């Protein structure tokens, strides 16, 4: 059976063909539906990711393997590397990897998709799902700390979900902060670049932190000038020691995590006890669905601790594979090509 | 950068081109060298595999992810499925999967190799390394219980390492047992097929168990008629509940495991306490190397509990990639094809 390859260029082309809003909205809808359908049984398919933390002598970062299995729908396995030096050393994005789909029935490799674009989009989509539950529906001002690649899909996802009018930007690299407006030319919101990460939060209804801060060097914002109703999406915390928010913020916020064990292992919540976490995003979506109405906006300060987990990649890969099939996009290759020797690995054998 | 694909056919062709003995000997030598070079630091790169156990309503089996990272030499990740019904349902081998190599420096996918042939060969090679340490050097008779695909490379590896004259075979499928001789036409040893798994062990110097026995249905041999000096390679135990040997054999044997945590999780040793395990194969090889001579043959009954672990796949993939490069074999594909947008996943952005 042939396997499908969607390269990085294929995924970019697919976004152009289908439309970035359609792809993002489809991801948001499927994530939301997936979360709300979740039963305890189904979530057993999503263990915390596992991987390797690079020593800072080799530039730090992590390389992780994120498996998710859904019976009769396959195993999705994303291998994803986060290397802060990738831009400078390799002219590659900070986050690089591949998403593989295997048949859970036979073990065959069915598809490989470059992870760059789907990862950025599904991380944005998770922020949209969380923010639509936790931020004020009339949010108009977003602040973003860390203006790299992930910032683009964070803003895109928020623009799809809120009528944003103003986006306040900070990055340690001012040029990068200044270029974000051009990279987000899909929105007519006003961009303002700030010189410090503290002023940037003032007046924001929603804050996104998406930095490459080194482990131990956080937080990246202070517990100052935050709106009382602020909703924070913390995207960057994804390795031990790497946190973006002050403990005082976490201590008084209503905290929603994507994946409980991951959040405690490597998210913002690594500095908290398990019982300090209020809810998981799947549970939050499930509760809202079952009560038939959005949650009352009882919470002031809220935090979504987004570590990014394998179910999201499973959903994103489905979205890309479905649109690619419609568009006839992607290459084919054969890995388990025949005739396959069922009883010998050697072709010198008399019987196969 | 292009990635390399070695399909199943490519790996078979490579074995033909290079020669099955050369491939096997190279794997044995590199495994032995790898084991003996092992430091505690290096072995931190090899966590126990993780995966999913299939319910018996869907035919049982497992699908597992086996990562190994060696700094500056890449991360090897094998995804391997063991499905007892694969032959009948899909006309595929019982063990199916793919071995991927990623750059640990950038996260890029560098190579994909079908796992069927390398897995069978490296499992044979591990048996050869263990047996050369634990079995009598003058072993002439081997018994094999379970005559499927793995049996071929088990016998091949033993024939490369011992002057075997006689091979005694049992399989619950007598036709399969009878065909093993033809599938092993690389050896001039005499084959004898047995009607029961108890007689087959009589007179054997080395026993290999390589069955698809269902969890809970073992053991596959009795503690009867075993030579006092028997060395056993137990290959089939690789999921919880699946064991092939009687407890009484384990209780009085000298036990060597490939990977301590895996052996306790899913190998023969899952029925033992940790302190009942005498040694790991890497330590055994390391000790012999450092003392400069083979171990004295002080042990009577010995067991090698071979769960198969990721370092072995890393070594086997290196062997196949090296020979493929020499032979100019394999396809190429581009997954992270350029120009890569460092700061946006969207091509609609004004700057890349």
């Amino acid at each position: 059976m042939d396997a499908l390859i969607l390269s990085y260029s294929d995924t970019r082309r697919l976004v152009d063909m289908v439309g970035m809003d359609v792809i993002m909205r489809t991801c948001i809808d499927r994530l939301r539906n997936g979360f709300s359908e979740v039963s305890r049984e189904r979530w057993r398919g999503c263990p915390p990711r596992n991987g390797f933390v690079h020593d800072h002598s080799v530039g730090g970062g992590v390389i992780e393997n994120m498996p998710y299995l859904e019976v009769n729908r396959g195993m999705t396995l994303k291998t994803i590397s986060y290397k802060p030096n990738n831009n400078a050393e390799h002219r590659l994005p900070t986050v690089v990897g591949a998403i593989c789909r295997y048949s859970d029935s036979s073990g065959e490799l069915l598809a490989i998709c470059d992870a760059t674009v789907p990862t950025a989009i599904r991380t944005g989509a998770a922020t949209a799902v969380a923010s639509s539950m936790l931020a004020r529906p009339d949010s108009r001002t977003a602040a973003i700390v860390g203006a790299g690649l992930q910032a683009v899909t964070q803003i895109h996802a928020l623009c799809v979900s809120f009528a944003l009018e103003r986006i306040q930007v900070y990055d340690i690299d001012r040029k990068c902060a200044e270029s974000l407006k051009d990279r987000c030319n899909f929105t007519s919101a006003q961009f303002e670049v700030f010189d410090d990460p503290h002023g940037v939060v003032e007046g924001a209804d929603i804050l996104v932190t998406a930095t490459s801060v080194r482990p131990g060097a956080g937080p990246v914002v202070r517990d100052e000038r935050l709106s009382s109703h602020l909703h924070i999406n913390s995207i960057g915390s994804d390795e031990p020691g790497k946190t973006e928010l002050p403990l005082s913020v976490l201590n008084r916020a209503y905290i929603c995590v994507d994946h409980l064990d991951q959040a405690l292992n490597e998210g913002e919540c690594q500095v908290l006890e398990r019982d300090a976490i209020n809810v998981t995003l799947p549970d939050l979506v499930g509760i809202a669905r079952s009560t038939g109405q959005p949650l009352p906006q009882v919470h002031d300060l809220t935090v979504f601790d987004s570590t990014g987990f394998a179910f999201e990649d499973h959903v994103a890969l489905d979205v890309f594979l479905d649109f690619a099939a419609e568009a006839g996009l992607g290459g084919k290759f054969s890995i388990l090509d025949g005739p396959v020797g069922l009883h010998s690995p050697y072709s010198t054998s008399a019987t196969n």
Side-chain angles (χ1 to χ4, degrees), chain A:
Chain A
M1 192 198 298
D2 279 348
L4 184 80
I5 294 186
L6 286 179
S7 72
Y8 170 77
S9 295
D10 291 331
T11 59
R12 293 258 301 223
R13 199 171 307 129
L14 200 60
V15 172
D16 285 346
M17 290 170 72
V18 175
M20 58 191 290
D21 284 0
V22 173
I23 291 258
M24 181 59 83
R25 284 184 201 279
T26 306
C27 261
I28 292 171
D29 289 345
R30 293 216 199 160
L31 263 193
R32 190 182 279 126
N33 288 335
F35 287 150
S36 74
E37 283 166 13
V38 155
S39 68
R40 286 195 177 279
E41 192 58 32
R42 188 168 171 194
W43 285 91
R44 286 171 52 192
C46 198
R49 64 182 159 224
N50 64 86
F52 304 94
V53 177
H54 297 299
D55 197 271
H56 281 274
S57 67
V58 292
V62 294
I63 183 164
E64 292 185 312
N65 301 306
M66 306 172 64
Y68 174 81
L69 183 137
E70 194 167 335
V71 175
N72 296 326
R73 296 194 55 188
M75 185 182 73
T76 301
L77 173 60
K78 182 166 83 169
T79 297
I80 195 83
S81 166
Y82 159 72
K83 289 283 285 183
N85 297 347
N86 254 7
N87 289 9
E89 288 179 8
H90 302 287
R91 295 288 301 159
L92 288 175
T94 308
V95 174
V96 165
I99 314 178
C100 296
R101 170 69 52 81
Y102 291 86
S103 163
D104 64 310
S105 155
S106 69
E108 283 177 279
L109 177 61
L110 303 178
I112 304 178
C113 180
D114 182 73
T116 320
V117 178
T119 297
I121 289 179
R122 66 82 156 141
T123 309
T127 282
V129 174
S131 300
S132 66
M133 308 288 296
L134 296 169
R136 285 197 178 173
D138 61 350
S139 294
R140 294 288 175 269
T141 300
I144 188 140
V145 175
L149 186 146
Q150 304 299 326
V152 177
T153 45
Q154 291 294 309
I155 291 174
H156 181 211
L158 291 174
C159 287
V160 159
S161 312
F162 297 88
L164 292 187
E165 294 171 354
R166 187 178 162 81
I167 295 164
Q168 305 177 166
V169 187
Y170 173 77
D171 195 288
I172 51 170
D173 176 352
R174 188 175 165 103
K175 281 220 171 86
C176 181
E178 283 171 351
S179 73
L180 185 59
K181 177 183 176 169
D182 291 335
R183 288 181 278 132
C184 295
N185 59 6
F186 47 80
T187 173
S188 57
Q190 295 297 308
F191 281 71
E192 184 173 353
V193 172
F194 284 71
D195 279 323
D196 72 274
H198 314 303
V200 73
V201 300
E202 192 155 7
D205 305 302
I206 299 173
L207 167 66
V208 174
T209 55
T211 73
S212 292
V213 68
R214 278 181 62 148
V220 299
V221 291
R222 287 192 199 143
D223 188 2
E224 292 171 10
R225 305 190 233 176
L226 308 180
S227 305
S228 63
H229 63 271
L230 182 67
H231 169 64
I232 305 173
N233 300 287
S234 173
I235 304 306
S237 289
D238 49 12
E239 64 174 305
K242 185 182 174 199
T243 57
E244 297 181 315
L245 302 181
L247 183 58
S248 60
V249 168
L250 297 175
N251 279 339
R252 71 175 201 280
Y254 178 85
I255 294 183
C256 173
V257 301
D258 51 5
H259 188 290
L260 194 58
D261 290 327
Q262 283 188 190
L264 288 163
N265 289 345
E266 52 180 287
E268 282 303 320
C269 294
Q270 61 188 283
V271 300
L272 299 179
E273 299 297 321
R274 184 174 286 254
D275 61 9
I277 294 169
N278 296 89
V279 73
T280 68
L281 186 56
D283 284 343
L284 191 64
V285 173
I287 292 164
R289 282 275 165 115
S290 64
T291 60
Q293 46 189 314
L295 292 191
Q297 299 297 316
V298 293
H299 308 299
D300 295 332
L301 186 65
T302 55
V303 170
F304 172 50
D305 184 3
S306 175
T307 58
F309 71 123
F311 173 74
E312 297 170 356
D313 299 307
H314 180 75
V315 169
L317 180 59
D318 272 347
V319 169
F320 276 79
L321 291 179
D322 289 350
F323 281 124
E326 273 181 33
L329 210 68
K332 298 267 186 189
F333 73 99
S334 184
I335 182 163
L336 194 53
D337 46 359
V340 178
L342 299 186
H343 297 109
S344 176
Y346 297 138
S347 45
T348 49
S349 60
T351 59
N352 203 22

